[in-house]
Every structure is written in C-alpha cells, then in structure tokens.
Amino acid sequence: MQPLIINLAPTGMIPTRAQTPHVPLTSTEIADEALACAKLGVSMVHLHARDVDGLPTTDSRLFADIVSKIRTVNSEVIITATTSGRKVPDVEQRASSLYLDGDLRPDMASLTLGSMNFATEASMNSPATIMRLAEIMQNKGIRPELEVFDLGMINFAKILIDKGLISAPYYFNILLGNPATAQASMLHLATMVNELPAGSIWAVAGIGRFQTRANALGVVLGDGVRVGLEDNLWWDQERTQLATNAQLIGRVTAQAQALGRPIASALEVRQRLDLQIW
C-alpha cells in the first residue's frame, strides 16, 4: 500500500466559537493547530483565514501570517490556501493569497470545479472564475487542490487539462455526503474515481456525519483522506460529543494502523506531487 496522505482542514468558513470551542480562528491558533497536527501524521493543511471578529476573510496579510508561523517551525508540511467563493464572489479577492511571494507562497490552493448547493447556501464557481484561478495558480507555480463534489466537476478538470491550465500530477479531493451532490456510497465514489484522469492522486472527504464513512473509504481504497473541523464538528454519529482536530486525525491513523498502512510524511507527499522543498 502507498503511504496514506492525511490532509487537515482545521477551520473552514462556517464553524464558530459558539458552535465549538475547539475550532482554531486566529492566525496563531490556526498555525499552532497545523503544527501540532503535523506531529500526528498530517502532511497537508487546507487553510482558511479569519478576521478579528472570527469571520472568513481573503486578507492576504492574514494568510501570510499563518504561512510564516507554520514555515518558521516546519518547512515540510504542505500549505494549501483556500480560494473559496462561498462568501466572496470577486475572483481577484478570492485569489489574494496566490499573489504571496517567496517563502510566503502557498504550495497549493483549492480549486472548486463547479457551482453547487450546500445545505443552506450556494457556492458559485463560474467557468470563467475557475479558469482565471487556474491560470493564476499555473503562473505562480501553485498546484491546485482539485475539489470535486460530482462527476461534472471531474469532466471540467479534463477541460482545464486540455486547455493547459492545470498540469500533472493531479491531486483531487473527492467530497461526499453534501445534500445536493455525490453521496458517501461505494457506487458514487467508484463512479467518480473511474472518471479521474490517468495517474491522479485522490483523497476522500465527507461532509458532516458522513466524514467517518468517507474517511474509511479513503483509508481502504484511496491515496488519502481529508479530515477536520471544517467538514465535521462531531466525534460521534449521535452528536453528543464535540470533536477536536487531533481526535479526528487519531481515528484516521488508527484505521490505517489496523490495515497495516503507513502514514505518508510531508516530504514523501511533496515528492509525489512534485512540490518545491523549502
């Protein structure tokens, strides 16, 4: 078995301190969480920044602060910046962190390959916006973290490949369990994996209560998993105990250990994804 890639999404855009005391919100909290979780087996961190009020922000200065705090201590863990349009429609605002230079430049950046409905709101990603974000990433040497929630998004990835806007190796997050897109079932996952470009590296994530099931599928079948409080706040299916990022990672590593599957180091993942070594 290839070593398992663990991609941590510690914060996201939705969780608040009122919902859980465990979500990291300040730049220092997010960086500290990333560093602590890297010691637990995380090789990639998918980062969102929050402002002084705890609200999602595209402020590149805050992303720079998080990146600096992480890389000063750990230069191997792979840093991925979000370009989510869930709250901000303007493409250049979404791309703000992509313009960071030198050792503040993120290794990767999220690229959601289509529009969709979440449980209570829409995420809008027009073809022009997706192509512009991909173009900036290509120009800046930032590898896209290809976020796919359904089959059509995988097809759009192939369009971007044909246009020369993304290049191999391709890293896909397959996100399952969102109400309006693919569900956390073997059939849905297998159908999506079957459509991935040849040689793709793919991880599985689950939304809400489907995180545990989706992560298990990733541990058994995939190259990796995405896990963290961005996607799921709860430890148990009954929602009686709030989770921590460390607990969610521990469950994944325990599943891998039960299968005799090693955990990938950040350096191993950098080599697989052809990423710069800082």
Side-chain angles (χ1 to χ4, degrees), residues 18-264:
Q19 293 173 314
T20 174
H22 305 305
V23 63
L25 297 181
T26 69
S27 296
T28 298
E29 289 172 348
I30 294 167
D32 287 349
E33 189 89 334
L35 291 166
C37 291
K39 295 178 180 179
L40 301 177
V42 166
S43 54
M44 308 173 68
V45 287
H46 170 104
L47 300 177
H48 291 251
R50 299 289 187 97
D51 65 18
V52 293
D53 297 316
L55 299 174
T57 178
T58 59
D59 189 337
S60 62
R61 294 169 298 180
L62 291 175
F63 276 100
D65 191 30
I66 297 169
V67 173
S68 176
K69 283 179 165 62
I70 294 172
R71 285 214 177 116
T72 297
V73 178
N74 183 336
S75 61
E76 292 187 357
V77 67
I78 295 163
I79 296 176
T80 303
T82 185
T83 65
S84 173
R86 198 163 174 179
K87 302 293 184 183
V88 179
D90 180 77
V91 66
E92 293 300 324
Q93 278 187 268
R94 290 170 62 167
S96 63
S97 62
L98 306 183
Y99 293 105
L100 295 171
D101 291 321
D103 59 5
L104 295 177
R105 176 178 59 84
D107 299 292
M108 301 178 68
S110 67
L111 185 64
T112 304
L113 294 172
S115 300
M116 79 202 96
N117 288 329
F118 286 105
T120 60
E121 61 185 350
S123 173
M124 303 303 295
N125 299 285
S126 71
T129 292
I130 297 168
M131 287 189 281
R132 175 57 181 154
L133 290 170
E135 178 184 44
I136 298 169
M137 293 179 202
Q138 187 85 317
N139 291 339
K140 294 292 184 179
I142 297 170
R143 187 165 302 286
E145 179 189 42
L146 300 163
E147 309 276 29
V148 293
F149 290 75
D150 229 329
L151 278 175
M153 296 188 188
I154 296 174
N155 189 62
F156 201 78
K158 295 175 182 178
I159 292 171
L160 296 182
I161 293 168
D162 289 343
K163 290 180 177 293
L165 290 172
I166 56 176
S167 56
Y170 313 115
Y171 178 84
F172 284 87
N173 270 332
I174 300 174
L175 294 105
L176 304 175
N178 180 54
T181 51
Q183 296 305 293
S185 73
M186 285 286 289
L187 178 59
H188 284 207
L189 177 61
T191 304
M192 293 178 73
V193 170
N194 187 60
E195 293 299 317
L196 293 174
S200 293
I201 296 166
W202 56 277
V204 190
I207 307 299
R209 67 182 184 275
F210 298 107
Q211 184 179 76
T212 304
R213 184 188 307 175
N215 284 169
L217 291 171
V219 171
V220 174
L221 302 172
D223 293 294
V225 302
R226 164 172 140 167
V227 67
L229 297 181
E230 172 171 348
D231 299 330
N232 168 45
L233 300 181
W234 299 94
W235 174 248
D236 56 335
Q237 295 296 307
E238 296 76 24
R239 298 189 172 189
T240 63
Q241 180 183 340
L242 289 165
T244 66
N245 282 308
Q247 286 176 320
L248 297 174
I249 294 161
R251 180 152 57 197
V252 168
T253 57
Q255 290 171 336
Q257 184 177 21
L259 291 173
R261 184 169 188 181
I263 304 300

